[in-house]
C-alpha cells in the first residue's frame, strides 16, 4: 500500500476503530468523500482535512499530511493545535 494521505487516514481509522460512515457523520463530510478519495488515491479538500483534525484531536496533522512523525499527537500539541485549528476554521470564509 502506498504511503499517502488517504492511506494514512485509513491507518488512523483502523487504529481508532472507525469506518468511512462514522468519520463522515462525526466530521460533517459529504457522503462518499472518503471513499471517492480512496478510489482516486487522492487526498481530501482543505476544509475536510480541517474538519477531520478538529474532531480527532489525537491525530497528528503533520503525520497525516506528510507521513513525518508519529501518528498520534502529544497532549501538548493536541491542545495547542486544537485551539488554533478551531479559531482558523471559524474565521475561514465559506464560499
Amino acid at each position: 500500500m502506498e504511503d499517502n494521505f488517504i492511506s494514512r487516514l485509513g491507518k488512523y481509522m483502523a487504529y481508532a476503530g472507525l469506518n468511512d460512515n462514522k468519520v463522515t457523520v462525526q466530521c460533517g463530510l459529504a457522503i462518499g468523500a472518503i471513499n471517492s478519495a480512496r478510489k482516486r488515491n487522492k487526498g481530501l479538500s482543505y476544509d475536510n482535512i480541517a474538519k477531520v483534525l478538529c474532531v480527532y484531536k489525537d491525530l497528528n496533522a503533520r503525520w497525516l499530511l506528510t507521513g513525518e512523525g508519529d501518528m498520534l499527537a502529544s497532549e501538548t500539541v493536541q491542545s495547542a493545535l486544537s485551539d488554533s485549528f478551531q479559531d482558523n476554521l471559524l474565521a475561514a470564509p465559506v464560499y
Side-chain angles (χ1 to χ4, degrees):
M1 174 186 274
E2 246 182 276
D3 186 36
N4 58 23
F5 172 88
I6 200 66
S7 69
R8 287 188 294 274
L9 180 59
K11 288 177 188 176
Y12 174 78
M13 289 169 59
Y15 161 81
L18 301 169
N19 60 36
D20 290 2
N21 185 57
K22 193 166 197 170
V23 172
T24 297
V25 170
Q26 289 179 344
C27 297
L29 307 180
I31 295 172
I34 295 172
N35 190 44
S36 175
R38 189 177 293 115
K39 284 182 180 177
R40 295 184 336 260
N41 204 27
K42 300 284 184 183
L44 297 174
S45 71
Y46 168 82
D47 290 340
N48 285 341
I49 293 169
K51 289 175 183 179
V52 168
L53 292 171
C54 282
V55 171
Y56 304 113
K57 297 181 186 336
D58 63 331
L59 178 56
N60 181 346
R62 183 175 184 188
W63 175 82
L64 181 62
L65 297 172
T66 68
E68 297 175 4
D70 297 323
M71 178 173 65
L72 301 178
S74 69
E75 288 186 33
T76 305
V77 171
Q78 287 177 36
S79 177
L81 284 178
S82 148
D83 294 340
S84 175
F85 265 121
Q86 288 175 355
D87 291 345
N88 288 334
L89 187 61
L90 293 175
V94 177
Y95 298 99

